[in-house]
Amino acid sequence: TTTAMSSTLLERTRALHEEIERSERLVAKDFHTDAKSHTSRLAQNHRVFQCVDGIRKRSRDLLTIYDDEDGSRKDELEGMAAENQEVYSLFYERLKEARDYHRRHPDLELASVDKDEEEFLKSRPRVDFSGEEAQGRFLDLHDVHRSFTNAPKFGNKDLSYLDFLGMFCDFRSIPKPSKLNQEYKAYLEDLDEYLVGFYGRSQPLASLGAPLAAVEKEFDEMWERGEVEDWEDKGLGASTSQVKDNPKLIDLEDFESAGDLEAVGGDRIKEALVALGLKAGGSLSQKAERLMATKGKALEELDRKLFAKGKKPVRNAEEAQRRLSLSKAIALLECRIRALMQLMEKTLSDTKKQVEKKATSTYEELVADMEELQDRGQGDDQGGDGTDNEDDENDNIIYNPLNIPVGFDGKPIPYWLYKLHGLNQEFKCEICGNFSYWGRRAFEKHFNEARHLHGMKCLGIPNSKIFSEVTKIDEAYALWENMKKKNSAVGFTQDEDEEFEDADGNVYNKKTYIDLQRQGLL
């Protein structure tokens, strides 16, 4: 009503101040109520955000009025001055406007401020969360995971969702040549957009403006100095000026031919090729010839077929500018995503636990959990301020200092069961990358699992039963060398290992068979 009747600038100013004070009072009342459940806290934060957002908008309107660029406020104040002879006529004119307004709206009722405030404090702002996000408790990266697994240039189609949660912000695991494309940039933009949106929905009172601005400022400074991790070359690849001082290079002026260069050894030649960004495969002579081809030439002059994938130098200034722009945008997105995940580290940890729990739960247990969450949400809606004891019990963080495994009900398993299965015993396997296995059963089982098989394959050792219980790399190598020596020492001997059979079906080795035959015993 006040806004509708605010025909003057001063009245509008007064109404804006009144609405700001009312919003401040609502924030104070809302925070005075202790919201104990997650759903109640989320609703409270969104209500407060609505009030703060309203204060921000009305404050901008007030600043515009007080700036008075068009002079309307000054004219209105001068019109109300005592020296002005028209002050009474202006007064009666506005009085007439107020009477006409109430005459046109005879049934107008003044809203009860207390009633409106009470209804607002009980309201539940609508916030769109997916089922996987569970009202902002967990991340839902299934769409991003699907994009990653379907990406032919940088993705991994065999990567599970749980493994993706553990590596999606570790960008060093993706080779740089696979990153320099628009598909990878679009993937990062989608991931960044989702994380910013989720953070805003789950924590509406926390502003991302200042943290992300600090990240971008620090990134710009490090980019100019060439200190951004994994982007020291700014995505431009190797150039003669960049690699000339590399200690891994070989001074080719000391060698006349590729044959002379072979004397330094294959490993040394390979280091020099890698430092130049050239292909490092092939035989010793092929590597020496490839390195010798660079003698007296700049990298930009070499045949582009000699360079490894993603290491080719730029051809011209236009290509360099295009690649530099793409590389900087991608590197900045990676830095932003890493900063966002530092802010949501606990949410990511809870998401991993939830995914593991769902993977080990039966269909009936999953349905029961969904029904429990729905009942809990309905209880919050009926409870108003969310201070019920049931919500407090359901949503309180469970005290679990021993990090005991969680059962299907979301609570730690009994301690006697934890001790019975030996889950308090930690077994580390160096072959698996110092991965920890809790309990004897899990430790014995892991020798036939993919992680240990991959570790043994990287060591070049076949995974047979004889290597069971071996967890140290040095011990595995020592046992493998010992087995090879025994196998070579115990070779095939014709006299001992070649077998002969007599007419009665008796089997003898060659030496025994010949001796018996000479004696006429066969």
Side-chain angles (χ1 to χ4, degrees), residues 197-395:
F198 177 83
Y199 192 83
R201 286 179 287 127
S202 60
Q203 302 184 46
L205 297 182
S207 174
L208 281 174
L212 291 183
V215 169
E216 293 178 5
K217 181 180 178 182
E218 182 181 4
F219 169 81
D220 290 336
E221 296 173 355
M222 295 179 67
W223 182 264
E224 292 299 324
R225 298 194 301 266
E227 297 178 356
V228 179
E229 185 180 4
D230 201 33
W231 293 94
E232 290 80 3
D233 61 353
K234 300 184 179 181
L236 297 177
S239 65
T240 304
S241 59
Q242 289 174 328
V243 303
K244 63 182 181 180
D245 297 328
N246 196 320
K248 294 182 180 180
L249 295 182
I250 299 175
D251 188 2
L252 299 178
E253 297 299 328
D254 299 335
F255 303 92
E256 295 294 334
S257 65
D260 297 338
L261 185 59
E262 292 180 14
V264 302
D267 292 338
R268 185 72 182 85
I269 294 175
K270 183 177 180 180
E271 284 184 357
L273 289 171
V274 172
L276 291 170
L278 302 177
K279 295 177 181 178
S283 63
L284 176 60
S285 60
Q286 290 173 336
K287 289 188 284 188
E289 290 175 1
R290 195 179 304 131
L291 183 58
M292 203 65 190
T294 65
K295 184 177 179 180
K297 295 182 180 179
L299 292 180
E300 292 79 4
E301 300 173 1
L302 297 177
D303 186 355
R304 297 176 68 83
K305 294 180 180 178
L306 296 176
F307 289 92
K309 185 178 180 182
K311 298 293 184 179
K312 297 176 182 178
V314 293
R315 297 177 179 177
N316 49 51
E318 183 180 352
E319 182 183 352
Q321 185 61 35
R322 186 169 61 252
R323 189 186 294 185
L324 181 65
S325 176
L326 177 62
S327 301
K328 185 175 181 180
I330 291 174
L332 175 59
L333 284 169
E334 290 181 350
C335 290
R336 280 173 56 96
I337 291 170
R338 274 194 289 262
L340 287 168
M341 291 318 303
Q342 288 178 356
L343 295 174
M344 292 186 283
E345 187 176 358
K346 184 179 182 303
T347 305
L348 178 60
S349 176
D350 292 343
T351 303
K352 292 178 183 177
K353 292 179 182 177
Q354 176 69 4
V355 173
E356 290 177 347
K357 177 183 172 182
K358 289 180 68 175
T360 56
S361 300
T362 63
Y363 173 76
E364 291 76 11
E365 291 168 352
L366 292 174
V367 171
D369 287 343
M370 291 176 62
E371 292 177 350
E372 181 182 354
L373 284 174
Q374 292 176 356
D375 294 342
R376 187 184 302 177
Q378 292 175 359
D380 284 341
D381 290 337
Q382 296 171 359
D385 60 356
T387 57
D388 294 345
N389 291 331
E390 281 188 359
D391 293 337
D392 195 14
E393 283 182 16
N394 289 334
D395 288 324

Side-chain angles (χ1 to χ4, degrees), residues 84-319:
N84 195 332
Q85 299 297 326
E86 299 178 357
V87 62
Y88 293 107
S89 60
L90 288 173
F91 170 77
Y92 285 112
E93 181 181 344
R94 288 168 188 166
L95 178 62
K96 182 176 180 298
E97 288 179 2
R99 288 175 174 173
D100 291 342
Y101 179 86
H102 285 284
R103 191 178 297 112
R104 290 194 302 269
H105 304 87
D107 299 329
L108 186 66
E109 294 182 3
L110 291 176
S112 173
V113 175
D114 294 336
K115 184 179 180 181
D116 289 347
E117 291 182 354
E118 184 179 352
E119 291 179 356
F120 177 79
L121 294 176
K122 289 182 178 180
S123 65
R124 299 275 176 176
R126 178 179 175 80
V127 187
D128 292 329
F129 286 107
S130 67
E132 290 287 336
E133 289 172 338
Q135 294 296 311
R137 291 180 175 90
F138 314 115
L139 294 169
D140 182 8
L141 295 174
H142 284 87
D143 290 341
V144 182
H145 170 246
R146 194 176 301 110
S147 300
F148 183 83
T149 54
N150 291 331
K153 294 184 179 180
F154 59 88
N156 181 0
K157 64 180 181 180
D158 298 324
L159 191 69
S160 66
Y161 181 59
L162 183 59
D163 292 335
F164 174 76
L165 291 175
M167 61 75 60
F168 76 91
C169 54
D170 181 17
F171 303 107
R172 291 175 297 178
S173 61
I174 304 175
K176 190 187 297 182
S178 303
K179 297 180 180 180
L180 295 174
N181 53 76
Q182 293 294 334
E183 291 81 358
Y184 182 69
K185 181 185 176 185
Y187 159 77
L188 291 180
E189 288 174 344
D190 291 342
L191 178 57
D192 178 79
E193 182 181 1
Y194 170 78
L195 293 177
V196 171
F198 177 83
Y199 192 83
R201 286 179 287 127
S202 60
Q203 302 184 46
L205 297 182
S207 174
L208 281 174
L212 291 183
V215 169
E216 293 178 5
K217 181 180 178 182
E218 182 181 4
F219 169 81
D220 290 336
E221 296 173 355
M222 295 179 67
W223 182 264
E224 292 299 324
R225 298 194 301 266
E227 297 178 356
V228 179
E229 185 180 4
D230 201 33
W231 293 94
E232 290 80 3
D233 61 353
K234 300 184 179 181
L236 297 177
S239 65
T240 304
S241 59
Q242 289 174 328
V243 303
K244 63 182 181 180
D245 297 328
N246 196 320
K248 294 182 180 180
L249 295 182
I250 299 175
D251 188 2
L252 299 178
E253 297 299 328
D254 299 335
F255 303 92
E256 295 294 334
S257 65
D260 297 338
L261 185 59
E262 292 180 14
V264 302
D267 292 338
R268 185 72 182 85
I269 294 175
K270 183 177 180 180
E271 284 184 357
L273 289 171
V274 172
L276 291 170
L278 302 177
K279 295 177 181 178
S283 63
L284 176 60
S285 60
Q286 290 173 336
K287 289 188 284 188
E289 290 175 1
R290 195 179 304 131
L291 183 58
M292 203 65 190
T294 65
K295 184 177 179 180
K297 295 182 180 179
L299 292 180
E300 292 79 4
E301 300 173 1
L302 297 177
D303 186 355
R304 297 176 68 83
K305 294 180 180 178
L306 296 176
F307 289 92
K309 185 178 180 182
K311 298 293 184 179
K312 297 176 182 178
V314 293
R315 297 177 179 177
N316 49 51
E318 183 180 352
E319 182 183 352

